[in-house]
């Protein structure tokens, strides 16, 4: 069941969404229920790429969608942007059913609200980086002076100042990706869809782009849906993670809860190789102050156990105060539980 979210915070809402491929798949809409199986659809020569998905995405949230190849994650995101029409169910953006929009209304919504970056950079080869970034503003009808000024600003934002006149062939893969990100940001989207945007990059550039992305996320209050198959990437970037299998969402939750409280055997297996100490924050092991004395310097509740390992091990207190960035005590860290997670339970 989707979480309850205040209506004013809700940007994207997805209810019982199905996307089925096959001949005359639209005729199946009335017959699709939560009990409909993959095998039943396969018997009629249909494939369910998305199965009965319901979720809410909040304003300013980054939802990372994960799953193996063929799990339906890319199809789901294309349904959220209505690049694909759903077979059944409903997708709403800021309260509007996007399935009911006319083509003109849909184009206006995308131009005004949405930015998209996919694996293939899609840069125009005969236009410079500056012209590529300015292109969607040109399509919007914006005057040349203002769109060029905006494009320069966006290229600077992603660290490409000085390369405005370069053609795509003169840029590295990572730089081309930055141009793609700058282009999607140029229209000032409130909603940003990114489908494995870093998967084609080598590890060093990928890490650099993740750092860049986190910097942009901190500066720009965007609602982001980010697809990846890399769990480490998801853990670095996500506010929440949705794990998909065979078109359905197995679990949608914070990275900590996905790792510490997997909802299904599949999620447990999917996350089994994850170093929990790099995911779990000290605050997750917090207990109420109660009758305990609060003594000595606190530890930051927002840091991971991995980052605090030395301080936890060298601290003799059974319960260590935890504090927010502004110094407010939020609870106490159960040192024994933290040590068990860091090194395994004592024999």
């Amino acid at each position: 069941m989707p979480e309850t979210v205040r209506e004013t915070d809700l940007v994207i809402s997805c209810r019982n969404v199905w996307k089925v491929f096959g001949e005359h798949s639209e005729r199946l809409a009335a017959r699709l229920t939560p009990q409909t199986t993959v095998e039943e659809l396969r018997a009629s020569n249909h494939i369910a790429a998305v199965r009965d998905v319901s979720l809410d995405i909040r304003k300013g949230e980054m939802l990372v969608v994960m799953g193996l190849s063929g799990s339906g994650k890319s199809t789901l995101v294309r349904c959220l942007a209505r690049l694909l029409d759903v077979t059944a169910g409903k997708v709403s953006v800021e309260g509007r059913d996007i399935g009911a929009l006319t083509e003109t209304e849909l184009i206006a919504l995308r131009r005004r609200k949405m930015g998209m970056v996919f694996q293939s950079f899609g840069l125009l080869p005969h236009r410079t980086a500056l012209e590529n970034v300015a292109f969607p503003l040109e399509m919007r009808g914006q005057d040349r002076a203002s769109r060029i000024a905006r494009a320069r600003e966006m290229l600077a934002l992603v660290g490409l100042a000085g390369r405005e006149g370069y053609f795509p062939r003169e840029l590295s893969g990572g730089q081309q990706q930055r141009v793609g990100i700058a282009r999607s940001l140029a229209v000032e989207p409130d909603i940003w869809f990114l489908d494995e945007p870093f998967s084609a990059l080598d590890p060093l550039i990928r890490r650099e782009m993740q750092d860049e992305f986190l910097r942009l996320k901190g500066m720009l209050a965007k609602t982001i849906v980010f697809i990846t198959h890399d769990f480490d990437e998801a853990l670095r970037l996500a506010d929440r993670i949705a794990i998909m299998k065979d078109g359905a969402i197995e679990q949608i939750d914070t990275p900590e809860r996905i790792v510490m409280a997997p909802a299904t055997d599949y999620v447990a297996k999917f996350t089994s190789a994850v170093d929990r100490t790099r995911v779990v924050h000290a605050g997750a092991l917090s207990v109420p102050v109660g009758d305990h004395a609060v003594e000595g310097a606190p530890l930051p509740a927002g840091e991971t156990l991995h980052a605090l390992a030395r301080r936890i091990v060298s601290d003799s207190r059974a319960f260590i105060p935890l504090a927010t960035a502004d110094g407010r005590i939020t609870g106490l860290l159960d040192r024994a539980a933290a040590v068990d997670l860091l090194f395994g339970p004592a024999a």
Side-chain angles (χ1 to χ4, degrees), residues 1-7 9-10 15 55-58 240:
M1 290 291 291
E3 294 181 52
T4 301
V5 181
R6 287 191 309 167
E7 191 171 336
D9 291 338
L10 191 60
R15 288 293 176 270
L55 58 84
D56 290 326
I57 305 174
R58 307 175 183 89
R240 286 190 301 159

Side-chain angles (χ1 to χ4, degrees), residues 267-280:
V267 176
K269 185 177 180 181
F270 198 91
T271 62
S272 61
V274 175
D275 180 353
R276 296 182 178 189
T277 67
R278 294 180 182 272
V279 181
V280 177

Side-chain angles (χ1 to χ4, degrees), residues 14-296:
C14 198
R15 288 293 176 270
N16 306 109
V17 165
W18 290 77
K19 180 58 184 177
V20 179
F21 293 102
E23 191 172 1
H24 303 303
S25 58
E26 70 280 356
R27 298 177 184 175
L28 296 172
R31 293 164 40 198
L32 296 170
T33 71
Q35 288 72 44
T36 303
T37 66
V38 172
E39 290 72 25
E40 289 171 347
L41 291 168
R42 192 176 293 132
S44 61
N45 294 317
H46 290 93
I47 297 173
V50 175
R51 294 192 296 128
D52 197 40
V53 168
S54 294
L55 58 84
D56 290 326
I57 305 174
R58 307 175 183 89
K59 184 176 182 180
E61 177 181 23
M62 186 188 296
L63 176 69
V64 173
V65 184
M66 298 198 67
L68 301 177
S69 295
S71 61
K73 53 190 185 295
S74 293
T75 304
L76 173 61
V77 169
R78 281 159 172 75
C79 288
L80 297 182
R82 204 184 147 188
L83 296 173
L84 292 172
D85 287 318
V86 302
T87 306
K90 178 180 176 181
V91 177
S92 299
V93 173
E94 295 183 343
R96 300 178 71 191
D97 177 359
I98 63 172
L101 299 181
T102 66
E103 190 67 22
T104 300
E105 290 172 330
L106 183 60
I107 290 171
L109 175 69
R110 289 189 187 134
R111 285 181 176 174
R112 192 180 74 251
K113 289 282 185 181
M114 296 179 178
M116 303 177 195
V117 181
F118 298 108
Q119 281 175 278
S120 56
F121 307 147
L123 301 182
L124 301 170
H126 303 300
R127 292 195 176 214
T128 64
L130 187 69
E131 292 166 342
N132 265 282
V133 175
F135 182 70
L137 302 176
E138 181 181 343
M139 293 298 96
R140 185 190 273 182
Q142 194 165 325
D143 68 272
R144 177 174 172 76
S146 63
R147 69 177 184 254
I148 291 298
R150 176 69 178 169
R152 287 187 186 280
E153 180 186 350
M154 291 302 98
L155 284 171
L157 187 67
V158 298
L160 288 179
R163 289 181 169 81
E164 295 88 349
Y166 285 46
F167 289 93
R169 65 182 179 275
E170 298 172 319
L171 298 171
S172 69
Q175 290 168 340
Q176 289 179 39
Q177 186 61 65
R178 289 175 187 236
V179 174
I181 290 172
R183 183 176 60 186
S184 73
L185 282 173
V187 295
E188 299 183 90
D190 294 324
I191 304 166
W192 211 7
F193 297 109
L194 300 107
D195 188 351
E196 300 203 51
F198 309 148
S199 62
L201 307 180
D202 68 56
L204 287 177
I205 294 176
R206 185 171 187 148
R207 182 79 177 187
E208 182 181 326
M209 285 307 304
Q210 290 171 7
D211 291 340
E212 185 76 17
F213 196 77
L214 287 169
R215 184 178 71 85
L216 293 175
K217 179 176 180 281
M219 294 170 59
L220 308 166
K222 306 297 180 188
T223 299
I224 301 169
V225 183
F226 188 107
I227 295 177
T228 183
H229 64 270
D230 185 319
F231 210 95
D232 287 337
E233 185 166 77
L235 295 175
R236 288 198 78 203
L237 301 177
D239 294 310
R240 286 190 301 159
I241 296 173
I243 295 182
M244 297 188 70
K245 177 191 177 190
D246 297 331
I249 290 182
E250 292 275 305
Q251 185 173 356
I252 179 168
D253 218 324
T254 63
E256 283 183 330
R257 286 194 55 77
I258 289 278
V259 172
M260 296 298 293
T264 67
D265 290 342
Y266 179 79
V267 176
K269 185 177 180 181
F270 198 91
T271 62
S272 61
V274 175
D275 180 353
R276 296 182 178 189
T277 67
R278 294 180 182 272
V279 181
V280 177
H281 294 81
L285 300 181
S286 176
V287 298
V289 173
D291 295 329
H292 297 284
V294 178
E295 299 176 344

Side-chain angles (χ1 to χ4, degrees), residues 292-313:
H292 297 284
V294 178
E295 299 176 344
L299 295 178
E303 290 283 358
T304 64
L305 295 183
H306 182 269
L308 296 173
R310 288 181 180 276
R311 295 168 68 180
I312 292 170
V313 170

